[in-house]
Amino acid sequence: MKGGPTASAAVPANMAALAAANPAIGFYASPAARLLGALLRTAHRWSPRAATQLALQLFFTPLPSKQHARAKPVPAPWQPQRRRFEQGDLVTWQRGDVVAGAPRVLLVHGWAGDAQQWRQLGDQLAAAGFDPVLLDLPAHGRSDGRRTTLPQWVRALFAVTATLGPWHAVVGHSLGALASAHALARGLPAGRLVLVAASPPPRLFLRWFASGLGPGETLAARMQGRIEQREGVPMLQFEPAWLGQHLRQPTLLLHDREDRIAPLASAQALAAALQPGGVAGGLAGGLTGGIVISSGLGHRRILSDAPTLERVTQFLREAG
């Protein structure tokens, strides 16, 4: 059955098989990627340090660029607000017609996405009595920056929360789901968590990137070391096991079997790792949390799927 949640499961993932796969193998076969790969391998032969720096710049640059998102009109009653963050501004979006004091819900997009991907759910949540807040993360949408990192996204969530939180709930998509889970695990004040098409941990993305474009494991290891040194956050803290030990909010995961960007196995691993108080054993697939699996939606169509959005809305209503 296509177009909506069709099944629930809490099956532990085979993370070893996931690590050996590469969801972006089609991209790495493209002419542009082959050219980048040749450039990276040549740089690696002459200077591994220079190759690592080049690889990090590529890895941290979202494509397509934010210019496309900036060109899209945003209808009323959605209104933007800019707030200072690190070397630039973050942009948040709120509706001007919500009831004062309505419970706030933060909606977080994924890599190369933007806040407007969540507008349909935002409109639905507003109609249900919530105050949705859409966030353009650094280097995305109308927020400033050309490059960004996952730890910076987490810092951005805390920065927005300082003025607009605490949250009734946080809803994240793809890499934004991973950033949201990590932020709540580190104390971001929110009552509930929804993870839609949650991405695999960044360690796997580094391996896929390095094997697809560059020399492989040695480059991935150097990139990981450089990121951890620069950001001060071990990548271990984005793994399902670590998140499962630290998340305590009721958590709902929604994922599609045909998701080629964020394989289902990663979401299943996270669901299996969550402790009671998060996704509790025996409650999978219910409105109290769990993992709900759809079919035929892929990675992005799930964001506009009516049964999926209704499941999210019901889960947030339950928290009231």
Side-chain angles (χ1 to χ4, degrees), residues 182-205:
H182 179 79
L184 266 66
R186 300 215 16 213
L188 190 86
R192 293 204 157 198
L193 176 62
V194 179
L195 306 176
V196 181
S199 74
R203 179 180 55 86
L204 289 184
F205 276 115

Side-chain angles (χ1 to χ4, degrees), residues 234-254:
M235 286 196 181
L236 175 68
Q237 293 186 4
F238 294 95
E239 298 284 338
W242 190 92
L243 293 172
Q245 292 172 5
H246 293 84
L247 277 171
R248 290 295 176 265
Q249 292 84 354
T251 301
L252 173 66
L253 295 94
L254 299 114

Side-chain angles (χ1 to χ4, degrees), residues 12-22 203-204 207-208 217 239 265-266 269:
N14 185 341
M15 293 299 285
L18 179 60
N22 193 333
R203 179 180 55 86
L204 289 184
R207 292 178 64 181
W208 294 334
E217 292 290 340
E239 298 284 338
S266 58

Side-chain angles (χ1 to χ4, degrees), residues 33-207:
R34 289 200 301 270
L35 179 61
L36 286 174
L39 177 63
L40 201 56
R41 288 188 294 273
T42 300
H44 184 263
R45 285 195 295 269
W46 286 98
S47 171
R49 182 175 181 179
T52 302
Q53 183 61 31
L54 174 60
L56 288 171
Q57 290 181 355
L58 293 171
F59 190 71
F60 293 151
T61 302
L63 296 173
S65 74
K66 62 184 178 181
Q67 300 304 322
H68 175 69
R70 283 183 167 180
K72 294 188 295 186
V74 179
W78 289 100
Q79 302 169 356
Q81 182 178 359
R82 301 188 72 88
R83 61 193 73 245
R84 194 66 182 167
F85 172 71
E86 295 185 356
Q87 284 75 47
D89 287 349
L90 289 173
V91 174
T92 55
W93 300 82
Q94 290 177 269
R95 291 175 57 106
D97 59 351
V98 298
V99 177
R104 280 183 174 162
V105 179
L106 178 63
L107 306 180
V108 185
H109 65 78
W111 189 259
D114 66 87
Q116 302 312 313
Q117 291 177 306
W118 277 128
R119 198 169 68 236
Q120 183 173 340
L121 177 60
D123 290 338
Q124 183 167 320
L125 291 178
F130 296 101
D131 180 5
V133 177
L134 316 183
L135 169 63
D136 278 322
L137 286 160
H140 290 73
R142 287 168 170 81
S143 290
D144 292 337
R146 293 181 56 198
R147 297 186 179 93
T148 187
T149 68
L150 183 57
Q152 186 185 45
W153 280 18
V154 175
R155 296 195 299 274
L157 296 184
F158 276 97
V160 170
T161 301
T163 55
L164 295 177
W167 308 104
H168 179 81
V170 176
V171 182
H173 174 243
S174 191
L175 198 64
L178 201 60
S180 299
H182 179 79
L184 266 66
R186 300 215 16 213
L188 190 86
R192 293 204 157 198
L193 176 62
V194 179
L195 306 176
V196 181
S199 74
R203 179 180 55 86
L204 289 184
F205 276 115
L206 280 175
R207 292 178 64 181

Side-chain angles (χ1 to χ4, degrees), residues 205-226:
F205 276 115
L206 280 175
R207 292 178 64 181
W208 294 334
F209 176 89
S211 64
L213 292 182
E217 292 290 340
T218 56
L219 177 61
R222 285 197 305 272
M223 291 174 69
Q224 178 173 338
R226 190 78 63 85

